[in-house]
Amino acid sequence: QSALTQPASVSGSLGQSITISCTGTSSDIGTYNYVSWYQQHPGKAPKVMIHEVSKRPSGVSDRFSGSKSGNTASLTISGLQSEDEANYYCSSFTTSTTLVFGGGTKVTVL
Amino acid sequence: QLHLQESGPGLVEPSETLSLTCSVSGGSIDIGKNYWGWIRQPPGKGLEWIGNIFYSGSAYYNPSLRSRVTISVDTSKNQFSLELDSVTAADTAVYYCARSDYDSWNGYWDYFDYWGQGILVTVSS
């Protein structure tokens, strides 16, 4: 299975909004709404920020939102803050009953 | 609060078998509401899903690793384990164990909500 496609890096200024895309195929994102997004700071375990395309776990800021159109999912971070600087990964359940991650996006806060 | 902890050797010789165990505390592994998974991350690289297992022993694996991977569960010890055969330097990574949310109605698993801290395993002679 091929990894989902994410941009290597995205940057934005404090307070701005950024969007990270995650492109898959009809065998994963295009078929299921089991798309998740993870935030990972250096040396730490990943933390789920969004699941089932747009659901936020308890405790996650409402500045994080998710959406999906066709084979592409997106994560939007509004009101960018310094603590949002991290790597972000998307994942999706697949028609082969497996899970696939994206290659990761480094978010830089300018 | 659920807690997961990986354990095992930090150094494995090439061609040998990598064996790791994930101990779960603060919750039971056999309540049937979750799958339990292994994910790895080579130094400086992205996440790679290795596989998931249900308390019954039903397991699913990454096709690229399937020929070398075995995930097992021991409900009496509240643990699950990973074995990766014939390792090479490319298997050097931080290995995480995690709990996966499970949609029992549809039979699909979703996100990983609890993660261990990760354990670095280096393959080298």
Side-chain angles (χ1 to χ4, degrees), chain A residues 46-62:
Chain A
K47 172 188 176 183
V48 63
M49 306 303 283
I50 295 288
H51 66 94
E52 291 174 75
V53 176
S54 60
K55 296 181 179 180
R56 266 190 318 275
S58 174
V60 172
S61 171
D62 60 4

Side-chain angles (χ1 to χ4, degrees), chain A residues 22-38:
Chain A
C22 172
T23 301
T25 69
S26 57
S27 296
D28 38 66
I29 294 176
T31 294
Y32 299 107
N33 287 327
Y34 295 102
V35 178
S36 303
W37 289 91
Y38 298 88

Side-chain angles (χ1 to χ4, degrees), chain B residues 1-2 45 51 72 81 87 102 111 117 120:
Chain B
Q1 180 77 351
L2 195 73
K45 297 188 177 181
S72 58
S81 300
V87 297
Y102 177 47
Y111 60 103
Q117 65 184 23
L120 174 62

Side-chain angles (χ1 to χ4, degrees), chain B residues 40 48-51 61-70 82-85 91 95:
Chain B
R40 71 179 183 178
E48 180 179 32
W49 176 73
I50 299 172
Y61 301 118
N62 186 323
S64 67
L65 299 170
R66 184 174 290 135
S67 64
R68 299 193 293 132
V69 172
T70 302
L82 167 71
E83 288 194 342
L84 181 64
D85 299 329
D91 295 309
Y95 286 76

Side-chain angles (χ1 to χ4, degrees), chain B residues 9-19 84 87 121-125:
Chain B
L11 180 64
V12 181
E13 294 199 355
S15 80
E16 298 295 311
T17 296
L18 180 159
S19 296
L84 181 64
V87 297
V121 179
T122 301
V123 179
S124 175
S125 55

Side-chain angles (χ1 to χ4, degrees), chain A residues 1 32 34-36 38 40 44-48 50-52 57 89 93 96-103, chain B residues 39 41 45-49 60-63 66 96 101 103 106-113 115-117:
Chain A
Q1 60 188 18
Y32 299 107
Y34 295 102
V35 178
S36 303
Y38 298 88
Q40 186 182 34
K44 300 294 187 181
K47 172 188 176 183
V48 63
I50 295 288
H51 66 94
E52 291 174 75
Y89 297 90
F93 188 77
S96 300
T97 319
T98 62
L99 193 82
V100 62
F101 281 101
Chain B
I39 304 98
Q41 185 171 35
K45 297 188 177 181
L47 301 172
E48 180 179 32
W49 176 73
Y60 298 88
Y61 301 118
N62 186 323
R66 184 174 290 135
Y96 295 100
D101 185 67
D103 181 348
N106 291 303
Y108 307 143
W109 59 77
D110 191 6
Y111 60 103
F112 293 105
D113 54 358
W115 294 66
Q117 65 184 23

